[in-house]
Amino acid sequence: MTPLARKDLMLSKMFGPTAADNQTAWTRSPDNPVLRCDSSDWSRDFIATCSLFEHDGKLRMYAEGSAGAREQIGLFTSQADRLAGPWVPSPVNPVLRVGAEGFDRGGVFDPSVVRFGGRWLMYYSAVEGDA
């Protein structure tokens, strides 16, 4: 049984019956921020909205990065037992760039990665103009 499958770690067990109860359920990590902006052309301004999962003994986090009002999607990895990192950026970030033309030429963001039928799929939001 993996740690994520334990009943005491179920997300539904973390919350109380009221909104006020839920505001006290979270504790800030002393390791924050676990992902940092850098001077690159894809994450200079911010990193946000991610999809996290475990695969082949590694944690994989796909995150939206922004530079100059253009969002793109990058990948970070960490050891499976190190949720707080260190998170190592992929050397080919961003892994999903804006399109040269068409519906996603303005930005790609909000990554959601799922496994379905033995395949990995990424769903994302996109804009043709400025996000």
Side-chain angles (χ1 to χ4, degrees):
M1 181 180 292
T2 66
L4 295 177
R6 289 181 30 209
K7 288 183 180 181
D8 60 328
L9 292 180
M10 298 281 294
L11 193 58
S12 62
K13 303 272 186 201
M14 291 179 61
F15 299 103
T18 70
D21 292 331
N22 297 338
Q23 292 174 4
T24 62
W26 300 98
T27 304
R28 290 188 185 272
S29 169
D31 299 315
N32 279 336
V34 294
L35 298 179
R36 294 184 183 274
C37 297
D38 58 31
S39 61
S40 71
D41 288 338
W42 81 277
S43 66
R44 179 178 54 248
D45 300 331
F46 69 80
I47 295 177
T49 314
C50 61
S51 183
L52 173 69
F53 58 90
E54 183 180 352
H55 180 65
D56 290 338
K58 293 255 186 194
L59 290 174
R60 297 174 67 88
M61 185 184 304
Y62 289 87
E64 163 190 348
S66 177
R70 175 170 280 177
E71 287 82 13
Q72 300 185 90
I73 297 172
L75 169 64
F76 298 83
T77 59
S78 182
Q79 295 300 315
D81 62 345
R82 296 285 306 159
L83 192 55
W87 288 94
V88 179
S90 170
V92 297
N93 276 342
V95 295
L96 183 61
R97 298 175 182 274
V98 296
E101 56 184 50
F103 75 97
D104 62 355
R105 72 175 183 218
V108 293
F109 49 95
D110 297 336
S112 179
V113 177
V114 296
R115 186 173 178 125
F116 182 77
R119 294 174 48 201
W120 289 99
L121 305 169
M122 179 186 288
Y123 294 89
Y124 61 93
S125 300
V127 293
E128 190 170 351
D130 185 5

